Amino acid sequence: MKYIKAKVKNPYLGDMQVENFFISELMPDAPGDYTKVYLYGRFLAEHGESMSIQSMSRQIDVSEGRIQEAWDYWEEYGAIKKRYIDGEGRLDFTVEFINLKELLYGNPSDDMSAIGESVVPGAEADRVGSAKAFGNDSLKELLDQIEKKLARPLGVSELQIVISWVEDLGASPEVVLQGVDYCIGKGKSSFNYMTAVIEAWIDQGLDTQEKVQQYIEEYDQKFVRYRRVMQSLGLSRNPTEEEKRIMDTWFDDMGYRMDKVLEACSTTAGISNPNIKYVNRVLANWKDEAVKESRDVNEKPKVSNTVLKEYYDYLRDKADREAEERRQQIYVEIPEIKAIDENMREIGIRLAKSLLSKDGDQGANLNAQLERLNEDRAIALVENGYDVNYTDPRYRCKRCNDTGLAEMGGPCDCREIRRGEAEIWLIEKEAAGKENQG
């Protein structure tokens, strides 16, 4: 059986196809009148119609001379071929529209081969030759897949770039497609970017899908690390090679996980210039603490610094409270000391006022009175069988007075001892809280 398609009797009710290549590459540079001539001619050819130049001029409002120029222009670009009826040079000729896709994919018909290098001036002839060398079927399939991935037709210069990846760089079609996929996945659809990626792969000997995939998996892991760290520091630029090296040591040498590294990055919130070296010092200190405590760097200390500070506060409050209890005891047993303390508080207030008024003589006199009162207080305590410092707070560490900080602001040597005590204190505190809730 046969299958036939009903012909459209009225050509104005039909439609026609125009190659995307014509629209994207040839039309933008063509004068507007030339495009009108080309499209109207395609319309006539689609329906097998004939029309003189004079009639076309009236129909599309373009001068006859301009129409002649248009057909010369399109023939020069290889979009049409003029077939003369009575010999070359006459005004009467047949316009044959060239299949642009076949030209681009290196598969021209016998008739079209007659136009030789007139396809598209300059590089287009080279592109056709390159296409033949590469293999028509392989080229067409590769270009089709790239167009699908980009969701648009390729331009002339882009076609040449794709062919150069294969012929000049020696990349296989599979590696080329991996490169296109990789770049699109990163939001990079620039052919310059794709060229840089594919060229770098080939330079590193990544000539198979397996080698490329292995490289991507390894490189992307580091790429994601770098990007997350830089973003957490509020830095939009790419890291330097030295910064990459430092970051690699955090994961590869120190053994940190990303969550711990980001925690270290968060410590830069209070500084004016967050940077990789600052984070590196923080992580190095944490590493030293973990080694001392025989734990993994990613494990949280049994007692965090926040809990340790709370424990120090607790110790100072306890020492001050017990000192006050002893003081009240002494006031009952030795009323003389209570009177001395009240006198000393009064003199202390007067001394502060004298310092504000810059009265040096009065200040010296008040200091002398305080010294005598201190001596009287000490004598009263000793005569009644008490130590001179009986009513003073009794801190566990006399070096830091239970603050955890040495004189120069660094950590006091008692911190590790206090950390162990704080662990027990925290357990007892949590247990007491549960009992109260019960």
Side-chain angles (χ1 to χ4, degrees), residues 295-308:
R295 59 175 172 81
D296 184 83
V297 291
N298 297 295
E299 292 181 10
K300 290 186 177 181
K302 294 180 180 179
V303 174
S304 67
N305 290 332
T306 300
V307 172
L308 183 60

Side-chain angles (χ1 to χ4, degrees), residues 177-300:
L177 288 176
Q178 271 187 303
V180 173
D181 272 333
Y182 177 80
C183 295
I184 292 175
K186 291 186 173 295
K188 306 286 188 180
S189 57
S190 162
F191 270 69
N192 288 335
Y193 186 89
M194 293 181 190
T195 299
V197 169
I198 295 173
E199 186 174 359
W201 287 356
I202 298 303
D203 288 344
Q204 296 178 61
L206 308 178
D207 53 2
T208 66
Q209 283 182 293
E210 293 74 16
K211 291 179 181 179
V212 170
Q213 188 60 38
Q214 183 179 357
Y215 172 80
I216 289 175
E217 290 175 357
E218 180 180 352
Y219 175 78
D220 269 10
Q221 184 180 16
K222 290 186 176 182
F223 177 81
V224 171
R225 286 175 178 175
Y226 301 151
R227 183 173 58 186
R228 290 191 67 185
V229 170
M230 298 298 281
Q231 287 177 345
S232 69
L233 295 175
L235 303 174
S236 58
R237 61 175 176 81
N238 291 324
T240 64
E241 291 302 317
E242 176 62 14
E243 288 172 335
K244 289 179 182 179
R245 185 195 66 77
I246 293 174
M247 285 187 276
D248 287 341
T249 64
W250 300 345
F251 301 99
D252 301 337
D253 299 337
M254 298 184 185
Y256 281 107
R257 294 194 305 260
M258 178 56 71
D259 59 337
K260 199 68 177 176
V261 170
L262 294 180
E263 182 183 342
C265 292
S266 67
T267 64
T268 65
I271 66 175
S272 59
N273 182 30
N275 57 79
I276 296 295
K277 291 184 177 180
Y278 182 93
V279 177
N280 190 57
R281 288 197 299 271
V282 172
L283 290 171
N285 290 336
W286 288 0
K287 174 75 173 179
D288 293 340
E289 290 181 4
V291 171
K292 290 179 182 178
E293 297 172 14
S294 300
R295 59 175 172 81
D296 184 83
V297 291
N298 297 295
E299 292 181 10
K300 290 186 177 181

Side-chain angles (χ1 to χ4, degrees), residues 63-221:
S63 69
E64 296 178 21
R66 191 72 168 165
I67 292 175
Q68 288 283 7
E69 293 174 1
W71 291 132
D72 292 341
Y73 176 89
W74 291 122
E75 185 175 41
E76 180 183 357
Y77 271 79
I80 65 131
K81 176 66 179 177
K82 289 186 287 187
R83 302 292 187 185
Y84 293 94
I85 296 174
D86 294 327
E88 187 175 355
R90 296 177 58 85
L91 297 180
D92 196 6
F93 53 83
T94 296
V95 174
E96 178 182 348
F97 288 91
I98 304 302
N99 188 318
L100 301 178
K101 291 181 181 178
E102 289 185 351
L103 282 176
L104 288 172
Y105 293 136
N107 191 25
S109 65
D110 293 338
D111 290 338
M112 292 181 337
S113 63
I115 60 178
E117 295 185 354
S118 66
V119 176
V120 176
E124 293 312 307
D126 295 335
R127 290 191 186 91
V128 174
S130 297
K132 291 177 181 177
F134 174 55
N136 299 334
D137 293 339
S138 299
L139 174 63
K140 186 177 186 304
E141 182 179 355
L142 177 61
L143 296 176
D144 285 345
Q145 290 189 57
I146 293 176
E147 286 183 338
K148 288 178 182 178
K149 293 179 184 298
L150 295 174
R152 64 173 178 82
L154 295 174
V156 174
S157 59
E158 293 171 339
L159 289 168
Q160 185 180 23
I161 291 173
V162 173
I163 295 172
S164 73
W165 292 343
V166 177
E167 292 194 337
D168 299 337
L169 298 181
S172 68
E174 293 76 19
V175 170
V176 168
L177 288 176
Q178 271 187 303
V180 173
D181 272 333
Y182 177 80
C183 295
I184 292 175
K186 291 186 173 295
K188 306 286 188 180
S189 57
S190 162
F191 270 69
N192 288 335
Y193 186 89
M194 293 181 190
T195 299
V197 169
I198 295 173
E199 186 174 359
W201 287 356
I202 298 303
D203 288 344
Q204 296 178 61
L206 308 178
D207 53 2
T208 66
Q209 283 182 293
E210 293 74 16
K211 291 179 181 179
V212 170
Q213 188 60 38
Q214 183 179 357
Y215 172 80
I216 289 175
E217 290 175 357
E218 180 180 352
Y219 175 78
D220 269 10
Q221 184 180 16

Side-chain angles (χ1 to χ4, degrees), residues 396-416:
R396 296 200 180 186
C397 180
K398 295 181 179 179
R399 183 184 178 192
C400 70
N401 290 336
D402 290 350
T403 62
L405 299 174
E407 292 181 1
M408 300 303 293
C412 182
D413 293 339
C414 71
R415 287 176 69 89
E416 296 309 314

